[in-house]
Amino acid sequence: MFRNYLNIAIRNLVKNRLYAALNIFGLTIGTICCLYILLYVQDERSYDKHHQAAERLYRVTSELKFPDSKDAKRLSTCSPPIIPAMQAEFPEVETSTRLVDPAPFGIERYLFKVGDKVFYENKGYVVDSTFFETFDYHFIVGNPKKALNAPQSMVISEALAIKLFNTTDALNKTLQVTGQVDEETYKVTGVFDNSLGKSHLMPDFFTPMNSRGMGEFVRSDNTWSGNNFLFGYLKFKPGTDVLAFEAKLPAFIERHGGDQLRQMKMHKKLILQPVSAIHTNAEGLDASEGTSERFLNMLLLLAGFIQLVACINFMNLSTARSTRRAKEVGVRKAVGAARASLMGQFLSESMLMTLIAVGLAVPLLYLLLPLLNQVTGAALGLQLTQNWSTWAMIVALVLLTGVVAGSYPAFYLSSFNPLSIFRGMRDAKSSTGAINLRKALVVSQFVISSVLIIGAVVIQRQLDYMLKQDLGFEKNQKIVFPVRASQSHTQLERFRNQLSLLPEVAGVTGMSAYPGQFVPNDISMYKAGESMKSATNIRFAFADEHFMRTLKVKLLAGRDFTVRDTSSGESRAKVIVNETTLKSMNIPMDQAPGMVLTSDRDGGAQIQFTIVGVMKDINFERMSEKVTPYMITIAPHEALPQVITDVNTKDYPSYLQKAQNIWTELFPGIPFEYAFLDQEVAKLYNTEQTFSRIIGLFTLIALLISCLGLFGLSVFAAEQRTKEIGIRKVLGASMASLTGLLARDFVVLVLISICIASPIAWYLMSQWLQRFAYRIQIEWWIFVMAGGIAVAVAFLTVSVQSLRSALANPVKSLRSE
């Protein structure tokens, strides 16, 4: 019986080549998209699943509440003494470890030297010696349990080992590293690779906490309220009730840090986060890394919609051509074929088409992977021989698509009454119902496409708004030179002075961190007559006296910095605050210059700052966040390693060559680096840019698949009305009127879909825009434009066949009459 089904299915495909090609092409495109999205989501959800105790690994995060803020601030980090105290006090903890990422402290890259090789490496972490007892990494050489016991030891990645020593057998080899401190010698005690799986912690190297630099500070820090800069991890013993453990933490933090928290007038709560959920939590913590479950769920929904659009094509074309198969059904029923047998036959046809489509989609996906990876920023591979879950997805996709696409045609075609068929009559109610269903399916296709079009336009407009919005400073024509090596900082002033003499340079400034970089510094401060109870938390960066002029920041009150502000005779540091600081502290603009801000420290000490000026609010970070109280503190040139130049030329290669010559003279042996400030700011929106590319691509694909179905239906409609068109032409109908006659019904369906899609798209995109503190308004013309695009594409698609029918010779159409 199956063989018979297969033979009939193949015959029908060969007999109806156009419809078969349209269905297979649509299903192939849909399957490529659907399969890629499934692979992408599977890959994103695989992070940190490879650890043997993955379900027992948790990160300790912090939630802070300040007196001046209505909302609590959630951090993915905690204070240095918290993790060791948990290990010592709670028997539920099997192992624990701390991790410091020095990048937020200005140590974004490390300078490596091995012989004649000198280069920078981007990512290194400082960790406790118990790190590899808590997390599982595959060691090529070395003992993970002892690799980080000794000071100045280093565990490096396979790629870094090859880069440094041209081999992975690098055990006990030495190298010089400049980063946290001046140049020091490290010994390689292990080499790891990522063969076990992906992790949210994938650096180039690890160094132990008992080394100099950041480790020294962490070991000596007993701050329980502030200094929430390190990541803390716990591995619980099997059978631990994590919720019960978490319930003990309020008393734990009160016992150890209650006095400090009361002195700082802040509330702190410790929250446990599963390590396996870190990578997919980008909307909450770690916004600059990973992805989000909401985004992944949207992609899955998008994959389902695209495949559904392809399935709808099959349903529409199968039911539309039902009259051509009615006699076949009647004969089969007359000779005793059961309805179940007929349904099996029609389902086998849809399954065969799906198999052919998937058979085409898999090799095409393999070829298209580089292009799709470029769109999504992923690095996916199609490993059919190594990953059986990929085969499971393919099989599930074939079965689901085949059943969904073929179910309604199978039910509909197998329901025909043989007597009505042989009499040339059809059940009017059944025919009307099928026609209405086809219309509903076409509408649903274009509802999906229209929602995607509107969504793509809104996302792109929001992205353009964020990239082009006035950030309060000028980001264009700015080139940044990061001077990372600490031994080079004594030459920073000479470097800035020589750059300023170049004719291409309009201004030079130095900063501790430039806009677009994370700024970890903050301090709670109050004005005269108040106390820490009403203190405002203010973030701050360091800069020199040229900051305002170079970045063209508007001064609203007071004065700019001067060279005298950095002199040792000044008792208080000078600061320029933003507008939001004044609003948060209820300081009138005209009273701000000269006002003293105070912060109480441990032991009764105080830190005081004098406001010399007020600047316009500037966005140092993403526009999804509101501008917070911020201030710029003046500092000596040698403490400002980020050198920013304002250039007045478009001949960047010539200018950069001159800058490199100065760099080579002053910083011999240090690799030359530079970055364009506008590009660095744009990197803050990598997630939105990726989302925009994905939605844009899949919108085009959904629209293409919808048009394939519409084209097939227009061909069928033209065939059904061949004689009518011939008679109308004989009676003098124009080509335009005939084209409009055939296209009108389909265009009306598309207009209906726009009316349905518009409120749906408005609601969905309004929800998406809520995550941005500064956002666009969804204007009416977006819906009109989306509708115009959908109608135009639909009309052009239908018009191809309409023109062909209108141009046909009426004699041939009426010859049989």
Side-chain angles (χ1 to χ4, degrees):
M1 183 179 290
F2 176 75
R3 191 176 185 181
N4 183 47
Y5 287 165
L6 185 61
N7 288 333
I8 294 171
I10 293 173
R11 267 203 312 269
N12 277 311
L13 291 182
V14 174
K15 184 178 178 182
N16 303 285
R17 288 186 290 274
L18 175 62
Y19 295 101
L22 289 173
N23 278 325
I24 291 172
F25 185 54
L27 286 171
T28 300
I29 297 174
T31 302
I32 289 173
C33 296
C34 192
L35 191 56
Y36 182 81
I37 290 174
L38 290 174
L39 289 171
Y40 180 84
V41 172
Q42 181 191 48
D43 181 71
E44 291 295 305
R45 287 178 172 170
S46 69
Y47 278 67
D48 292 301
K49 298 292 195 301
H50 64 277
H51 304 295
Q52 290 184 3
E55 73 285 352
R56 295 188 279 125
L57 286 173
Y58 285 80
R59 182 169 69 177
V60 180
T61 66
S62 305
E63 185 178 272
L64 309 180
K65 183 73 169 61
F66 296 96
D68 63 311
S69 175
K70 295 180 181 179
D71 301 320
K73 183 178 181 181
R74 183 83 183 273
L75 303 175
S76 56
T77 51
C78 62
S79 301
I82 288 176
I83 299 301
M86 285 183 171
Q87 178 75 66
E89 289 189 24
F90 296 116
E92 299 96 325
V93 178
E94 182 176 313
T95 60
S96 63
T97 191
R98 294 172 297 178
L99 179 149
V100 177
D101 180 3
F105 298 91
I107 312 170
E108 292 181 306
R109 307 186 78 183
Y110 290 76
L111 185 66
F112 280 69
K113 291 183 182 179
V114 175
D116 295 332
K117 294 182 179 179
V118 181
F119 54 84
Y120 282 112
E121 277 302 318
N122 291 338
K123 206 159 191 176
Y125 294 145
V126 182
V127 296
D128 282 324
S129 60
T130 54
F131 182 83
F132 294 113
E133 296 176 37
T134 309
F135 293 98
D136 296 321
Y137 285 75
H138 177 252
F139 269 57
I140 300 173
V141 294
N143 183 346
K145 292 185 178 180
K146 299 179 180 179
L148 295 174
N149 285 350
Q152 312 312 122
S153 56
M154 180 179 286
V155 175
I156 62 178
S157 68
E158 178 184 24
L160 182 56
I162 294 172
K163 190 173 181 180
L164 289 168
F165 307 109
N166 299 317
T167 178
T168 57
D169 187 16
L171 200 63
N172 296 323
K173 293 183 182 294
T174 59
L175 63 155
Q176 282 68 48
V177 181
T178 302
Q180 301 172 49
V181 293
D182 293 338
E183 183 175 293
E184 287 199 324
T185 300
Y186 283 81
K187 183 170 76 172
V188 177
T189 53
V191 178
F192 69 93
D193 61 28
N194 298 315
S195 60
L196 294 182
K198 293 185 176 181
S199 171
H200 74 289
L201 301 174
M202 299 177 72
D204 300 309
F205 59 93
F206 296 95
T207 57
M209 200 76 75
N210 57 5
S211 298
R212 292 177 58 201
M214 293 296 300
E216 285 180 307
F217 176 71
V218 170
R219 296 195 307 272
S220 63
D221 191 352
N222 193 40
T223 303
W224 286 77
S225 55
N227 288 350
N228 296 282
F229 63 86
L230 62 73
F231 299 90
Y233 299 92
L234 304 176
K235 181 164 79 172
F236 291 107
K237 293 178 180 177
T240 299
D241 185 340
V242 177
L243 291 178
F245 178 88
E246 197 169 33
K248 300 177 183 178
L249 297 183
F252 168 79
I253 194 70
E254 170 62 29
R255 189 162 58 249
H256 292 280
D259 292 340
Q260 291 184 23
L261 290 168
R262 279 186 287 275
Q263 184 180 2
M264 296 295 294
K265 302 299 184 294
M266 61 182 285
H267 175 75
K268 184 171 186 176
K269 181 181 179 182
L270 301 178
I271 302 171
L272 299 180
Q273 180 189 23
V275 166
S276 58
I278 290 174
H279 183 72
T280 55
N281 194 44
E283 286 190 350
L285 309 178
D286 309 302
S288 62
E289 301 287 342
T291 183
S292 69
E293 275 297 332
R294 180 185 297 182
F295 175 61
L296 296 181
N297 290 334
M298 287 179 68
L299 286 183
L300 289 175
L301 194 62
L302 183 60
F305 280 151
I306 290 175
Q307 198 72 349
L308 179 61
V309 168
C311 291
I312 288 173
N313 280 353
F314 184 91
M315 295 180 193
N316 272 340
L317 294 177
S318 297
T319 55
R321 296 178 55 256
S322 60
T323 54
R324 295 196 172 187
R325 305 198 64 178
K327 289 183 179 179
E328 176 193 344
V329 173
V331 171
R332 290 182 178 278
K333 280 198 169 184
V335 297
R339 184 176 183 183
S341 174
L342 291 170
M343 289 178 63
Q345 176 193 321
F346 295 127
L347 281 172
S348 68
E349 290 180 17
S350 70
M351 203 64 72
L352 177 62
M353 283 198 188
T354 304
L355 280 170
I356 294 172
V358 172
L360 293 171
V362 171
L364 285 173
L365 176 60
Y366 181 80
L367 295 174
L368 292 171
L369 270 177
L371 175 63
L372 293 171
N373 283 340
Q374 189 175 355
V375 171
T376 62
L380 301 181
L382 196 61
Q383 300 173 336
L384 296 176
T385 58
Q386 301 175 15
N387 194 342
W388 290 105
S389 62
T390 305
W391 280 108
M393 282 193 293
I394 293 173
V395 171
L397 199 57
V398 169
L399 294 175
L400 186 62
T401 302
V403 171
V404 171
S407 57
Y408 179 72
F411 278 106
Y412 176 69
L413 293 173
S414 64
S415 67
F416 290 170
N417 187 332
L419 290 177
S420 300
I421 294 169
F422 292 138
R423 289 173 182 169
M425 300 167 58
R426 288 281 308 281
D427 184 356
K429 184 176 180 181
S430 174
S431 298
T432 303
I435 292 171
N436 289 335
L437 180 62
R438 283 200 299 274
K439 290 180 178 179
L441 291 175
V442 170
V443 168
S444 64
Q445 278 184 315
F446 276 88
V447 165
I448 294 170
S449 299
S450 299
V451 167
L452 290 175
I453 292 171
I454 295 168
V457 173
V458 171
I459 292 168
Q460 188 58 49
R461 287 198 70 237
Q462 175 64 22
L463 185 58
D464 290 342
Y465 173 78
M466 292 187 295
L467 293 175
K468 297 176 181 177
Q469 177 71 359
D470 180 14
L471 301 177
F473 63 92
E474 178 56 61
K475 66 179 185 291
N476 299 317
Q477 299 284 105
K478 305 294 183 295
I479 299 180
V480 183
F481 300 98
V483 183
R484 305 182 192 279
S486 57
Q487 68 266 31
S488 302
H489 289 181
T490 55
Q491 297 286 354
L492 276 170
E493 186 169 4
R494 283 188 64 195
F495 181 57
R496 277 195 285 270
N497 290 339
Q498 291 193 34
L499 285 176
S500 66
L501 296 176
L502 297 176
E504 297 91 345
V505 176
V508 184
T509 188
M511 297 189 70
S512 58
Y514 55 81
Q517 288 185 312
F518 174 72
V519 178
N521 310 311
D522 64 342
I523 187 171
S524 294
M525 308 195 74
Y526 60 89
K527 61 186 178 183
E530 297 182 355
S531 66
M532 287 298 289
K533 187 175 182 180
S534 58
T536 296
N537 189 255
I538 304 174
R539 300 182 69 180
F540 64 94
F542 297 97
D544 64 14
E545 67 274 14
H546 304 297
F547 161 74
M548 301 283 285
R549 291 187 295 277
T550 304
L551 291 185
K552 297 178 174 58
V553 180
K554 186 176 181 181
L555 187 68
L556 302 178
R559 64 171 176 84
D560 199 352
F561 290 130
T562 65
V563 177
R564 290 183 56 192
D565 292 331
T566 60
S567 64
S568 58
E570 295 291 330
S571 59
R572 303 188 186 98
K574 301 299 187 291
V575 298
I576 295 177
V577 299
N578 66 351
E579 297 171 86
T580 301
T581 301
L582 300 189
K583 293 174 185 176
S584 298
M585 302 184 76
N586 294 318
I587 300 174
M589 181 81 68
D590 58 343
Q591 297 180 20
M595 184 169 287
V596 175
L597 303 180
T598 305
S599 179
D600 295 344
R601 315 310 291 170
D602 294 339
Q606 290 185 330
I607 299 178
Q608 292 188 320
F609 298 86
T610 300
I611 299 175
V612 298
V614 180
M615 63 183 174
K616 182 180 177 180
D617 279 341
I618 53 179
N619 279 86
F620 264 70
E621 297 178 358
R622 292 165 49 87
M623 290 191 70
S624 57
E625 307 294 332
K626 288 185 178 180
V627 174
T628 58
Y630 210 97
M631 67 183 185
I632 301 296
T633 304
I634 194 165
H637 293 163
E638 61 271 15
L640 305 171
Q642 306 294 345
V643 179
I644 305 171
T645 59
D646 178 19
V647 298
N648 52 22
T649 179
K650 293 290 186 179
D651 187 6
Y652 296 126
S654 174
Y655 166 64
L656 290 172
Q657 184 59 56
K658 294 178 182 179
Q660 185 172 5
N661 293 338
I662 297 172
W663 179 289
T664 304
E665 178 189 343
L666 296 178
F667 312 129
I670 306 298
F672 177 64
E673 283 189 287
Y674 67 91
F676 289 89
L677 185 58
D678 56 346
Q679 294 177 3
E680 294 298 299
V681 172
K683 288 178 183 178
L684 295 173
Y685 306 105
N686 281 342
T687 301
E688 286 76 19
Q689 290 173 334
T690 300
F691 189 40
S692 178
R693 291 194 301 268
I694 291 173
I695 293 296
L697 174 64
F698 292 135
T699 296
L700 291 175
I701 290 171
L703 198 56
L704 172 62
I705 296 173
S706 298
C707 289
L708 287 174
L710 205 59
F711 177 75
L713 288 177
S714 68
V715 171
F716 173 76
E719 289 175 355
Q720 292 294 96
R721 304 178 73 172
T722 301
K723 291 182 175 60
E724 177 191 346
I725 293 169
I727 293 171
R728 287 180 180 273
K729 285 198 73 173
V730 170
L731 294 176
S734 66
M735 189 166 57
S737 65
L738 291 174
T739 302
L741 175 71
L742 292 172
R744 182 179 57 205
D745 291 343
F746 295 106
V747 171
V748 168
L749 294 178
V750 175
L751 288 172
I752 293 172
S753 71
I754 290 293
C755 294
I756 297 172
S758 294
I760 296 173
W762 178 85
Y763 174 77
L764 293 176
M765 298 319 298
S766 294
Q767 293 298 309
W768 181 75
L769 287 171
Q770 292 302 315
R771 56 198 293 255
F772 298 98
Y774 305 95
R775 51 186 177 267
I776 62 168
Q777 296 296 319
I778 304 177
E779 300 177 75
W780 61 270
W781 63 263
I782 295 177
F783 303 101
V784 174
M785 185 181 74
I789 292 172
V791 169
V793 171
F795 183 77
L796 289 173
T797 302
V798 175
S799 294
V800 172
Q801 183 58 34
S802 301
L803 285 171
R804 184 180 173 188
S805 301
L807 292 170
N809 189 342
V811 174
K812 292 182 179 180
S813 304
L814 302 172
R815 187 167 46 190
S816 62
E817 293 297 319

